[in-house]
Amino acid sequence: MRRAAVLGTGQTEHRTRRTDVSMAGLCREAIDRALADSGTDWSQIDAVVLGKAPDLFEGVMMPELFLADAIGAAGKPLLRVHTAGSVGGATAIVATTLIRSGVHRRVLAVAFEKQSESNAMWALSIQPPFSAPITAGAGGYFAPHIRSYIRRFDAPRHIGALVAVKDRRNGALNPYAHLRQPDITLESVQASPMLWDPIRYDETCPSSDGACAVVIGDQQAAEASERQVAWIRATAMRTEPTFYSGKDHVDPRAGAEAAAALWAAAGVKDPLEEIDVAELYVPFSWFEPMWLENVGFVGQGQGWKLVESGETALGGALPVNPSGGVLCSNPIGASGLLRFAEAAMQVMGRAGEHQVAGASTALGHAYGGGSQFFSMWVVGRNP
């Protein structure tokens, strides 16, 4: 299989409402930054892959139709990807596959969300025919899974607050982050209103307008780059039904199988020792210990202990979400691609104030739906 690498990344300033730009303008803001970061111009892009979460999030059906010109796809192949919240990660993997297969030399991957133009809570609460109602949005759906994790492993109730404090302080180091709270404390998180037991207000992600773009190139393009690239060592995607008899919502089979396939393809034997930084998709703070276990960094029931030890903070053995993660910026369609891009930025040494010193290998992770879709990649400084 041919080698592929991230040549450059770009993202927008993430805010509650980006009324200064249209959807097209939001995408172009990220794209222009990615092209500049990669030293690439429009003429060198062979194809565009667009990622977008459910169209009801803005109420614009098939936005790729009117966005084609603005995102540089006129006269070029354009693919639309949709795998719920994991779509950003899936978008990067589709773009990578186009490079590795030898179809194209440089592919632009872009994903976005402009939640301010609709109501994601409403979009997640409707009841399509022949499906179970969510009623209370994503938080209402996932809170029982978190309670199950707490009961199963006797996890202390302050673990979620520890994650929230860490990520929000990390976000204060990220100039693009939506929420930047350097003075947040454990006490202030624990005093914030309870939304869906045990999820408190400060333990949940915001609703953000934002976009992310990544330029991925083949080996020749990567070797011609004047800047450090992030070599894509491995990718993996897995899927399972939202509901089926025996489904484990605490430790989804698809996530575990995707991670196992990823580590095998990347030649990683001990993820906790060999991965320098991880960008995990954590929309509610309790998902950090759950995903640490699901992807295999630690064993079952050990995720909350790793969090409590402080080893997932900047300066720890495994910094998790040094960018602030989804808890600080959540343009849903782009959130997965942001995790992949931030992982690449770490190994390229371009993460600014939230750079993990000496990071050479990083994990990007995304999930979506009812813990149904999982996308992951491992990137490194060296091929």
Side-chain angles (χ1 to χ4, degrees):
M1 185 177 292
R2 294 172 174 83
R3 290 175 176 170
V6 177
L7 307 182
T9 70
Q11 60 183 284
T12 63
E13 280 77 20
H14 308 294
R15 300 288 182 268
T16 302
R17 292 178 177 82
R18 285 295 306 271
T19 56
D20 57 316
V21 290
S22 63
M23 291 184 196
L26 195 67
C27 290
R28 277 298 292 268
E29 185 176 308
I31 290 169
D32 289 347
R33 288 172 176 169
L35 292 175
D37 189 52
S38 65
T40 304
D41 62 42
W42 284 106
S43 66
Q44 295 174 294
I45 298 297
D46 299 319
V48 180
V49 182
L50 175 69
K52 174 70 181 66
D55 292 346
L56 281 176
F57 282 4
E58 287 93 1
V60 177
M61 301 297 103
M62 300 175 67
E64 64 273 15
L65 297 180
F66 84 91
L67 288 174
D69 186 46
I71 63 176
K76 298 176 181 179
L78 170 62
L79 293 175
R80 158 78 186 276
V81 179
H82 172 32
T83 55
S86 75
V87 64
T91 300
I93 292 176
V94 169
T96 300
T97 302
L98 290 172
I99 298 296
R100 284 179 156 179
S101 64
V103 176
H104 299 299
R105 289 197 56 210
R106 292 180 181 87
V107 176
L108 172 67
V110 58
F112 78 98
E113 202 73 64
K114 209 164 189 292
Q115 292 194 64
S116 65
E117 298 196 3
S118 184
N119 188 318
M121 176 67 84
W122 168 81
L124 288 169
S125 299
I126 62 173
Q127 186 177 356
F130 311 110
S131 67
I134 296 178
T135 307
Y141 178 83
F142 288 114
H145 308 163
I146 295 171
R147 293 197 296 270
S148 180
Y149 175 83
I150 292 171
R151 287 194 301 269
R152 186 181 299 184
F153 299 117
D154 195 25
R157 301 280 290 195
H158 66 275
I159 297 300
L162 288 175
V163 174
V165 170
K166 170 183 68 71
D167 283 4
R168 294 285 169 78
R169 289 180 178 175
N170 287 350
L173 304 175
N174 181 355
Y176 298 111
H178 179 172
L179 299 181
R180 307 177 70 196
Q181 298 174 272
D183 299 322
I184 194 171
T185 66
L186 185 67
E187 293 72 25
S188 68
V189 174
Q190 293 175 322
S192 65
M194 183 71 73
L195 297 182
W196 309 277
D197 186 30
I199 306 170
R200 293 187 177 274
Y201 181 81
D202 281 343
E203 296 174 332
T204 188
C205 56
S207 294
S208 308
D209 287 356
C212 181
V214 174
V215 177
I216 299 175
D218 63 8
Q219 182 172 352
Q220 184 177 351
E223 292 174 346
S225 176
E226 297 180 354
R227 307 184 70 186
Q228 175 68 48
V229 301
W231 292 95
I232 302 168
R233 290 177 51 184
T235 67
M237 288 196 294
R238 292 293 188 276
T239 308
E240 65 181 86
T242 301
F243 301 106
Y244 63 89
S245 178
K247 173 158 180 167
D248 189 346
H249 291 276
V250 171
D251 184 28
R253 183 187 305 170
E257 291 182 355
L262 182 78
W263 302 137
V268 172
K269 304 297 184 183
D270 186 341
L272 188 59
E273 289 294 324
E274 297 177 55
I275 300 298
D276 299 312
V277 55
E279 282 282 339
L280 299 178
Y281 198 113
V282 178
F284 306 102
S285 58
W286 276 95
F287 273 87
E288 179 171 309
M290 291 167 66
W291 292 154
L292 286 169
E293 298 171 21
N294 184 246
V295 302
F297 281 117
V298 292
Q300 292 293 293
Q302 301 302 305
W304 70 262
K305 297 177 183 178
L306 190 67
V307 170
E308 191 173 48
S309 72
E311 294 294 357
T312 61
L314 283 168
L318 178 70
V320 175
N321 294 332
S323 66
V326 181
L327 282 181
C328 289
S329 304
N330 186 37
I332 298 174
S335 293
L337 188 56
L338 283 165
R339 309 282 66 74
F340 280 43
E342 287 283 354
M345 290 163 61
Q346 288 289 341
V347 301
M348 293 190 291
R350 301 181 205 169
E353 289 188 60
H354 60 281
Q355 177 70 48
V356 174
S360 63
T361 308
L363 168 71
H365 167 278
Y367 89 102
S371 299
Q372 180 176 5
F373 303 105
F374 289 84
S375 298
M376 307 173 196
W377 77 6
V378 170
V379 289
R381 288 185 64 85
N382 302 310

